[in-house]
Amino acid sequence: MDDFEKNFQGKIDAEIKIEPKDWMPEKYRQTLIRQISQHAHSEIVGMLPEGNWITRAPSLKRKAILLAKVQDEAGHGLYLYAAAETLGTTREEMIDQLHSGQAKYSSIFNYPTLTWADIGAIGWLVDGAAIMNQVMLTRTSYGPYARAMVRICKEESFHQRQGFDILLTLSQGPDAQKNMCRDAINRWWWPSLMMFGPKDSDSTHSDQSMKWKIKRMGNDELRQKFVDMIAEQVKVLGMNLPDPDLKWNEEKNHYDFGEINWQEFWNVVKGNGPCNKQRLDARKKAWEQGAWVREAALAHANKVKLQTHKGTLEAA
Amino acid sequence: MSITCRKYYYGDIPDNNAGGNISPEKNKLSGNDWPLWEVFIRSKQGLDHKHAGSLHATNAQMAIENARDVYTRRMEGVSIWVVESKHIHASNPEEAGSLYDPANDKVYRYPAFYDLPDELKHM
Ligand SMILES: [Fe+2]
Ligand SMILES: [Fe+2]
């Protein structure tokens, strides 16, 4: 380890944040660009399953809330893209890597939203799981990423609460609504557990990322925290989680839970989930069809600049 | 299972080799990103503008409008400044030591340096 690297690790150990112009190991920079850009892609692709229900929300109030929530997710994507750009990549390059399939996004968004209750389950479970990760990341070692996370976490708690509120209303409704609520919980529970990634024993990620304090908690620990939280909250709905092995463990002071279907997990990650193709196609289409807007706005701005320049010359 | 050697930096997102600014086919990109702007927001009348983040826009007006949508959706601001990022000049962090050092040994600039009698009030 050379002096630069020693100095760098010393700052990390002393909980001093790294800022864009500070010296950093190339691997640290690359790791962050990957993680932050893929996190940004997740926020943007994450708008699709929910956007699917904006026009069909059951009331004006619900529609307005869902619109605000989806707009927040667009904002999260932008905060994160901007944070990644401070490391020297460009927006165009990141988008290009998403579209070419080189960069990934969270697999959870490759599941379909079949009923209105899914919007409730997403807010409660999917945003709930994301919050676990994101709260940890408010303490990540790279300044711009940590600051983006603080902003995001402030907004996320509304997301989870509105989701729970949707399910609570359904759970108190007639049988048809109760069933919708139960069905959505059943379908979203396991995929949201998968959001925390493979077991720590099955992934090789953590050492360096932990040492650099990019990531500060293991997948298993975060997943356990999530299970403990949701297992209690589901009681308020008068519902159950679809796991016969879920039970309180007095000794560990945690909930025990059943084995995740890792076959399904790897399958969706590899691109064979129910909506992988649909999601990516939707993003590409939006990008391609918006190309003329991007070009026209730039051309217009350049023209105005040229005119002002000419005006100044003539006046002189 | 062979795929378990993949890296996972964040949740369920596999690393592959994506996302770094290392793509060899970089030249196929147009380089047509809109210019980058830094956004400063005054959260309340009477307070300073504070850096909030950055965004892309073709001109100042669009930058302000986008900043409103991106950074003030919850009444976080009463005033917005934007400046194109390329116009910001920054001090060099590597020179921080010598830059701030002269300020370090002048303890007499702080009120606590002066040891005055206790009966002296309101000073
Ligand atoms: Fe989000
Ligand atoms: Fe969210």
Side-chain angles (χ1 to χ4, degrees):
Chain A
M1 213 189 274
D2 61 21
D3 278 356
F4 279 118
E5 205 158 344
K6 252 186 226 142
N7 186 356
F8 172 83
Q9 190 62 46
K11 279 200 211 161
I12 301 259
D13 294 342
E15 298 290 333
I16 297 171
K17 297 274 183 244
I18 306 302
E19 294 296 340
K21 290 193 138 207
D22 294 345
W23 186 91
M24 62 186 85
E26 200 44 35
K27 245 340 241 152
Y28 178 81
R29 180 189 301 277
Q30 297 300 345
T31 302
L32 275 172
I33 292 176
R34 274 174 205 136
Q35 176 167 331
I36 300 173
S37 65
Q38 302 194 117
H39 195 166
H41 299 328
S42 305
E43 302 283 350
I44 298 299
V45 176
M47 293 193 284
L48 296 171
E50 290 181 294
N52 181 31
W53 279 91
I54 290 176
T55 54
R56 295 177 290 159
S59 68
L60 192 56
K61 180 185 104 177
R62 293 292 186 195
K63 190 195 289 254
I65 293 173
L66 185 56
L67 260 175
K69 199 248 182 203
V70 172
Q71 193 191 3
D72 273 355
E73 304 300 3
H76 297 177
L78 289 178
Y79 304 155
L80 287 163
Y81 283 131
E85 283 171 83
T86 64
L87 291 156
T89 181
T90 65
R91 182 75 60 91
E92 191 184 26
E93 186 179 13
M94 290 186 274
I95 303 278
D96 185 64
Q97 287 173 338
L98 171 69
H99 293 176
S100 73
Q102 201 190 347
K104 302 288 181 204
Y105 53 87
S106 182
S107 290
I108 191 79
F109 302 118
N110 290 322
Y111 289 86
T113 40
L114 305 179
T115 75
W116 170 249
D118 288 22
I119 301 305
I122 286 183
W124 177 42
L125 297 173
V126 175
D127 286 77
I131 289 170
M132 293 276 139
N133 255 314
Q134 297 183 148
V135 166
M136 164 190 79
L137 289 170
T138 60
R139 296 185 299 119
T140 193
S141 57
Y142 186 57
Y145 194 20
R147 290 192 286 276
M149 280 299 127
V150 169
R151 207 178 282 281
I152 286 174
C153 284
K154 272 191 202 147
E155 300 178 354
E156 284 292 351
S157 65
F158 135 66
H159 297 180
Q160 202 184 12
R161 290 174 73 100
Q162 65 86 35
F164 194 86
D165 186 55
I166 290 172
L167 293 185
L168 190 62
T169 306
L170 293 173
S171 73
Q172 293 163 350
D175 279 353
Q177 294 188 8
K178 282 197 179 83
N179 288 338
M180 244 166 84
C181 175
R182 187 170 304 120
D183 165 63
I185 295 173
N186 286 347
R187 278 183 291 109
W188 287 93
W189 171 245
W190 290 106
S192 45
L193 285 191
M194 296 176 197
M195 282 177 73
F196 296 95
K199 288 183 184 174
D200 292 329
S201 54
D202 287 341
S203 66
T204 53
H205 70 85
S206 42
D207 293 0
Q208 192 58 68
S209 240
M210 289 281 212
K211 202 171 139 231
W212 281 335
K213 294 189 182 164
I214 294 174
K215 192 178 166 76
R216 310 198 58 142
M217 288 164 87
N219 295 352
D220 296 334
E221 190 183 355
L222 286 165
R223 183 163 24 234
Q224 183 68 58
K225 264 183 93 165
F226 178 70
V227 171
D228 291 346
M229 177 179 87
I230 298 297
E232 288 299 318
Q233 292 176 352
V234 74
K235 294 178 186 167
V236 182
L237 295 174
M239 297 272 155
N240 292 308
L241 297 172
D243 179 359
D245 296 327
L246 185 81
K247 82 174 170 291
W248 179 249
N249 184 325
E250 195 68 55
E251 221 168 283
K252 291 196 212 148
N253 219 10
H254 285 298
Y255 274 90
D256 288 333
F257 57 99
E259 189 63 27
I260 290 169
N261 180 348
W262 294 110
Q263 200 58 48
E264 175 183 332
F265 172 83
W266 297 114
N267 226 348
V268 182
V269 164
K270 273 191 291 180
N272 304 324
C275 303
N276 293 55
K277 186 172 171 343
Q278 188 185 334
R279 300 291 185 238
L280 212 52
D281 286 350
R283 285 312 314 155
K284 282 191 223 160
K285 187 172 152 215
W287 180 255
E288 279 155 19
Q289 294 189 345
W292 72 270
V293 179
R294 294 192 297 278
E295 282 159 24
L298 202 57
H300 176 71
N302 287 339
K303 194 172 124 195
V304 170
K305 222 185 278 170
L306 219 65
Q307 277 167 351
T308 348
H309 184 63
K310 234 168 81 190
T312 348
L313 282 184
E314 272 161 18
Chain B
M1 211 180 301
S2 63
I3 16 187
T4 47
C5 62
R6 268 200 187 141
K7 290 181 186 232
Y8 281 75
Y9 291 115
Y10 175 68
D12 61 346
I13 307 169
D15 175 33
N16 290 349
N17 50 10
N21 52 342
I22 39 173
S23 73
E25 52 315 11
K26 197 165 184 177
N27 48 8
K28 87 174 187 269
L29 302 175
S30 68
N32 270 347
D33 271 343
W34 289 349
L36 192 65
W37 298 72
E38 299 302 319
V39 178
F40 300 82
I41 291 179
R42 185 202 295 284
S43 60
K44 217 175 104 191
Q45 210 63 22
L47 297 182
D48 294 324
H49 285 77
K50 206 176 137 207
H51 186 239
S54 42
L55 48 76
H56 290 275
T58 57
N59 59 31
Q61 193 193 338
M62 188 197 275
I64 289 180
E65 283 164 8
N66 288 358
R68 182 202 57 204
D69 289 346
V70 179
Y71 292 107
T72 66
R73 288 195 300 284
R74 290 179 175 78
M75 315 286 294
E76 290 97 333
V78 294
S79 159
I80 298 174
W81 285 354
V82 294
V83 57
E84 239 188 287
S85 311
K86 67 177 183 201
H87 295 313
I88 298 216
H89 298 268
S91 61
N92 183 348
E94 261 115 72
E95 290 162 7
S98 53
L99 196 59
Y100 304 113
D101 194 40
N104 205 16
D105 55 359
K106 296 182 176 59
V107 279
Y108 43 83
R109 280 179 172 157
Y110 299 94
F113 177 74
Y114 303 91
D115 194 10
L116 300 177
D118 288 347
E119 50 282 24
L120 191 67
K121 301 285 182 218
H122 306 298
M123 189 185 278

